[in-house]
Amino acid sequence: MADVAERAGVSTSTVSRTLRGLSTVSPEVRARVEQAARDLNFAVSRQAASLVTGRTGTVAVMVPTLNSWFMGSALSSLAPLLRAAGMQLNVYEIPDLAERTAFFEHLPARRNADALLVFSFDLTDEETARLDDLGMPVIYVSQHVEGRPSVYVDDVAGALHGTRHLLNLGHRRIAFVPTEGASGFTFSSNERLLGYRQALAEAGVPLDDDLVVSTRTGSKRAAAESLGALLSLREPPTAVFAEQDEVAVALIWNLRKTRIAVPERISVLGFDDQPLADWFDLSTVAQSPSEMGRLAGELALKLIDDSDGDHERHIVLPTHVIPRGTTAPVATRPAGQPERPEGPEESEAPGSPASA
Amino acid sequence: MADVAERAGVSTSTVSRTLRGLSTVSPEVRARVEQAARDLNFAVSRQAASLVTGRTGTVAVMVPTLNSWFMGSALSSLAPLLRAAGMQLNVYEIPDLAERTAFFEHLPARRNADALLVFSFDLTDEETARLDDLGMPVIYVSQHVEGRPSVYVDDVAGALHGTRHLLNLGHRRIAFVPTEGASGFTFSSNERLLGYRQALAEAGVPLDDDLVVSTRTGSKRAAAESLGALLSLREPPTAVFAEQDEVAVALIWNLRKTRIAVPERISVLGFDDQPLADWFDLSTVAQSPSEMGRLAGELALKLIDDSDGDHERHIVLPTHVIPRGTTAPVATRPAGQPERPEGPEESEAPGSPASA
DNA sequence: GTGAAAGCGCTAACAA
DNA sequence: TTGTTAGCGCTTTCAC
C-alpha cells in the first residue's frame, strides 16, 4: 500500500480511504490513487485490514458434505450473494463424528469469520452452547434451534400436504419411509414423520407403526429390504411416502424390478424435488435449498452489520406438492390383488423406468 | 494471547511457540499454557499470524458452480485433506462471465490465500498470465495448461476406449454428442471428440461430421433435437456416445419416449459415471473427480511448502469403461429396420426406463 | 480533504 | 528454554 501511496503522491491513509470508497477523498486524488493501484496490481490484504477492524470479511459455513444436491444448491445461491457483499466464503466440511468432535474442540472459525452458517446438523445442547460464545452471529440453516436465528423449511406442513395428496387420491394404507440418521444429522425426519401422522389423524385414518419403515439413503439394497417389510404385511400399503427423493427412486427401482406397477399398483411420493425426481417422473414435495441459502446469507449479512437489530430471526420456507407420474388414485380392488393379468402396462412417461 | 500468557505466567512468545507445537517448550510450561488457552477458550487469529508469517493458511478454489456432481465430489475429497493440514478452504464461485471478469479484474484471492485451485475453466492466455503473477502457486484442475501444474483426466484416452468399446460391439455408425460450452468452459469436449475420432481412424471407420451433433446439457428438449438430427440421417447411427452422462440419459429418455429400444436398436454410452448413470443402468466411461480433488489438494500443499521443489506437476488420471445395460452388440439387420415387431422388450434392468 | 502516528495480535530474531 | 523487541500492512483517531 505504501508503494501505491508513493506512486500516487499521497499518504497511505488516503490510499486506504480511496480503496474503501470513503467519500472524503477529492475526485482528482481518487483517480490518481485508483490508477496507481491498478498499475501496481494492488489488492488490499484482508488479513492486515481485519487486524485493525476486527472484521474478517469472511462468512464460514459448516456443512456435513459438499457432495449432495441439497448442499450444492444452497451454496450455489449463497456464494454469489456473499461475493456481491465483498465477503469471502469459508467452508468447513464435517463429514463424520471425528471431524465434528475436532471442530467443536477447537472451533477454528473463532476469530476467523464474521458469521457462521450451520447446515443440517442435529446439534446437542452442549454444542449449541459452544457455538453461542463463538463471538459471532451463528445462523442455523435447514434446522430449527430454539432462540437462535434459523432458516428452515416447514417440514411438518410439507409432509402433511404430501400425505393429504395421497389421502385425496383415496389411499388409506399409506407407508412412510424415513431415512436413518447416519452420522448425527437427520434431514428433518422427525418433523416429516409428524406431518405424516398429523394428516392421517385429521383424516381419521388409524396410525399403524408397521407402515413406518426406515431405510438408509442412496442404497437400492436397503430400499429393497424396507419394501419387503411393507409388501409382506398382512395388509400392504397402496402408497409409499419416502422422506427423500433418493429413497423414493430406490423404492420405485425395486418395485419395477418386482414388476409391481407404479403408480397403478402402488403410488410413490418423494420429498425434495431434486433433479432425480424429474428424471424418474416422481411426484414429490418440493423444497428450495437455493432459496434457503439465499435467505440464510442475507440474514447473516444483516446480523453482521447489526447483530442486535430487529431482524426476522426465524425464517420458515414453504413447500409445494408436485404431482407427477408416480402417484395415482388408489386401485378399486384391494392392493396385492392384480386388477388384470401381469404384463406390460400402458404407455407411461419414459422417465419412469417401466417393468415390461 | 496476552491473556493466556498472563494466566499461564509466561510471555506471549512462549504461548505462541506452544500453540504452534514447537518443540522448544518445556513440558510443564506447555501444559500450563495449553490449560490456560483452553480455560480462556482461546484460538489464534490467523489474520494476525498471517500478517507476520506471510502465509494465510488458506487455499482458494475457483469453481464454475458448486451445484454439480463433479464439483461436489471433488471438493468433498479436497476439504478434509486441507483441514487435516490445518488449512482453510476458501471458495470462489464464478458462475457467469460477469463474475469472471470481476474476478480477473480484482483477483480477490491475491494475498488472501497460499494457493489457488482453478477448476474447469477454459482460460484465455491473458487470464492465465494474470494468474501467473498472483504470487502463489496456481494449480489447474480438470484441465491442462501448458507449463503450469495441472491435474486432469486423460479425456482423449477415455473417449478412445469408450469408442473402441462400441466398435468392439460391432458398431460402425457411431455418433458423438458433445456439450456446447455454455459459459466459457467446455468440460473437455474437444479432447473427448479427439479420442472418438482417433478410435474411428484406427479402426478404419470413415469420419462423418453428420454424426457429431452438439447439445446443451441437462435439457431433455435439446437432447431431443440432437437425437432428431441423428435419426433423420440417411444412414442413422447404431450407437451414440454422449460426452456427459446427463446428456446420455436425456438421449435415452427421448429414445424410450419414441419407443426405440436401448440397447437393442441403439446403444448409448456416457462419460463420467455419476450416480445418475447407475440409476439408468448406463454404460459409461468413468472418471473420478474425488481422486482429482485429492491429488490437486496434495499438490497444492506440496507447492505451498516448497514451490520450486521437484514435484510431479502434470498429473494425468485414468478413466475406465464401465459397461452396463445400455450398450450391446449391433443388431445384425441394418439400423432403422426393426428386427421384430415393435412391442415390449424382454426383461431388463429396472433402472433403465423401458418403453413398453 | 489530507497526513502523521499509534496500534490491532501475532511471530521471528535476538539476547539472556 | 524463555523473554524482549521490532514490525508485518493496514485502519483510525487526531491534527491540520
Side-chain angles (χ1 to χ4, degrees), chain A residues 11 13-14 17 24-26 29 111:
Chain A
S11 71
S13 316
T14 303
R17 281 191 274 257
T24 65
V25 182
S26 71
V29 173
R111 303 226 275 154

Side-chain angles (χ1 to χ4, degrees), chain A residues 114-296:
Chain A
D114 297 337
L116 174 66
L117 264 43
V118 180
F119 276 82
S120 302
F121 287 84
D122 277 334
L123 301 184
T124 64
D125 289 349
E126 199 181 338
E127 286 169 335
T128 307
R130 200 119 167 70
L131 294 181
D132 279 343
D133 50 41
L134 200 47
M136 65 180 81
V138 176
I139 292 113
Y140 295 85
V141 193
S142 189
Q143 62 189 313
H144 164 165
V145 179
E146 213 49 64
R148 278 86 170 185
S150 309
V151 181
Y152 54 96
V153 128
D154 192 343
D155 282 301
V156 180
L160 179 73
H161 289 121
T163 309
R164 276 196 199 145
H165 167 55
L166 295 171
L167 287 164
N168 290 340
L169 290 171
H171 295 279
R172 286 299 173 271
R173 295 289 290 168
I174 302 174
F176 186 77
V177 183
T179 308
E180 264 165 46
S183 53
F185 53 95
T186 72
F187 292 101
S188 341
S189 288
N190 293 328
E191 306 250 296
R192 292 179 190 176
L193 182 55
L194 214 63
Y196 157 80
R197 291 211 167 114
Q198 213 167 299
L200 293 185
E202 76 180 20
V205 174
L207 295 181
D208 180 349
D209 281 346
D210 288 344
L211 287 175
V212 177
V213 181
S214 72
T215 190
R216 271 171 296 118
T217 188
S219 160
K220 288 175 184 171
R221 178 60 200 273
E225 286 175 20
S226 309
L227 197 56
L230 292 172
L231 297 181
S232 60
L233 289 177
R234 172 185 292 269
E235 216 184 322
T238 62
V240 183
F241 188 0
E243 189 222 316
Q244 286 179 49
D245 282 348
E246 275 216 321
V247 171
V249 169
L251 291 171
I252 291 173
W253 196 92
N254 282 292
L255 284 165
R256 299 297 189 185
K257 192 167 181 182
T258 322
R259 309 278 184 113
I260 297 176
V262 175
E264 289 77 8
R265 291 278 297 279
I266 191 162
S267 285
V268 178
L269 180 64
F271 201 119
D272 278 348
D273 196 31
Q274 66 169 101
L276 199 56
D278 188 35
W279 285 116
F280 276 81
D281 199 30
L282 175 70
S283 299
T284 191
V285 180
Q287 66 167 322
S288 172
S290 65
E291 190 66 3
M292 209 142 83
R294 196 177 61 74
L295 290 167

Side-chain angles (χ1 to χ4, degrees), chain B residues 208-289:
Chain B
D208 179 351
D209 282 346
D210 288 343
L211 287 175
V212 177
V213 180
S214 72
T215 190
R216 271 172 295 117
T217 187
S219 160
K220 288 175 183 170
R221 177 59 199 272
E225 286 175 20
S226 309
L227 198 56
L230 292 172
L231 296 182
S232 59
L233 289 178
R234 174 187 291 270
E235 216 184 321
T238 62
V240 183
F241 187 1
E243 191 221 316
Q244 286 179 48
D245 282 348
E246 276 216 322
V247 171
V249 169
L251 291 171
I252 291 174
W253 195 93
N254 282 291
L255 284 165
R256 299 298 189 186
K257 192 168 183 179
T258 324
R259 309 276 186 112
I260 297 176
V262 175
E264 288 78 8
R265 291 277 296 279
I266 192 162
S267 285
V268 177
L269 180 65
F271 201 119
D272 279 348
D273 196 31
Q274 66 169 103
L276 199 56
D278 188 34
W279 285 116
F280 276 80
D281 199 29
L282 174 71
S283 299
T284 192
V285 180
Q287 66 168 324
S288 172

Side-chain angles (χ1 to χ4, degrees), chain B residues 29-98:
Chain B
V29 173
R30 166 172 298 279
R32 245 186 314 145
V33 170
E34 280 172 347
Q35 186 56 50
R38 209 165 315 134
D39 292 348
L40 295 171
N41 229 313
F42 176 81
V44 170
S45 160
R46 300 179 107 91
Q47 328 292 329
S50 75
L51 197 53
V52 36
T53 58
R55 274 144 152 269
T56 62
T58 294
V59 171
V61 304
M62 174 184 173
V63 302
T65 179
L66 288 165
N67 193 10
S68 76
W69 159 78
F70 185 91
M71 288 312 314
S73 310
L75 292 183
S76 261
S77 70
L78 176 63
L81 190 146
L82 293 180
R83 264 194 58 66
M87 293 267 160
Q88 315 248 15
L89 172 61
N90 222 296
V91 176
Y92 295 96
E93 192 191 31
I94 317 285
D96 53 42
L97 206 57

